Every structure is written in C-alpha cells, then in structure tokens.
Amino acid sequence: MTASCTKSGAYRIVLSVHGSTPLLPLSPQGEEFTPRVGLAGTKAKASTPTADLSLAADAPDPAPVYFNGLQLGFEASHNGYTIKITSICDGEVLFDVVQQPE
C-alpha cells in the first residue's frame, strides 16, 4: 500500500467497471444527465501517483470527458458534478462528490 492509497472516500471505481459504487446522486434533470465515472488506469506506484478517468452522461452530449494524470486532491467536473480524488490504489480510485446540481 502506498501513501496515496488512503482507502478513504465515499465513492469507489475500479478498472473495467463503468460506474462508481455507489452511483452518483441523480441529477435533478434526470438519469440521462447523471454522469457515470470510469477508471482507465492508475499509476499508484509512481513517484507522484495518478489516475486516469472519464465522466460520461447520456445527455446533453454522450461523448465522455477524459481526465488524465489526476493526483490526490485533484478535481474533475462534468454536467454540474465535481468529484475530488481521495485515494489512488493499484486499479482502484476513491473519491468524494464536492458539488452536484441542485
């Protein structure tokens, strides 16, 4: 376990599963506007651990938004949601939701 692998965070994503556990809170605009978080990879053992992830929702644009090289404490935003990286482990990332649409 590395220093970046804190195992803290309300949401968890792992490789090859598109969507977090639990899923993000439902958008007031409906399920199709609620992003799914996907993990493309981690570099947990690097001198500066990073994670590559994507956020995608079916509306208004189904194209995923990619975030590469996220470090502990970094944030990623899509469709009014902002997540903050709280743990980077080998093949697993934990995060918190710090902003969501009202």
Side-chain angles (χ1 to χ4, degrees), residues 15-32:
L15 289 171
S16 74
V17 176
H18 196 66
S20 59
T21 304
L23 295 173
L24 295 183
L26 191 63
S27 169
Q29 294 179 288
E31 184 177 346
E32 65 274 8

Side-chain angles (χ1 to χ4, degrees), residues 19-74:
S20 59
T21 304
L23 295 173
L24 295 183
L26 191 63
S27 169
Q29 294 179 288
E31 184 177 346
E32 65 274 8
F33 285 87
T34 306
R36 293 171 307 282
V37 185
L39 180 61
T42 60
K43 295 180 182 138
K45 296 177 183 166
S47 59
T48 302
T50 61
D52 300 334
L53 44 101
S54 65
L55 289 159
D58 295 331
D61 181 359
V65 179
Y66 295 97
F67 298 89
N68 296 319
L70 295 174
Q71 300 174 26
L72 277 183
F74 279 33

Side-chain angles (χ1 to χ4, degrees), residues 3-6 49 70-74 85-88:
S4 70
C5 188
T6 66
L70 295 174
Q71 300 174 26
L72 277 183
F74 279 33
I85 305 300
T86 56
S87 179
I88 301 172

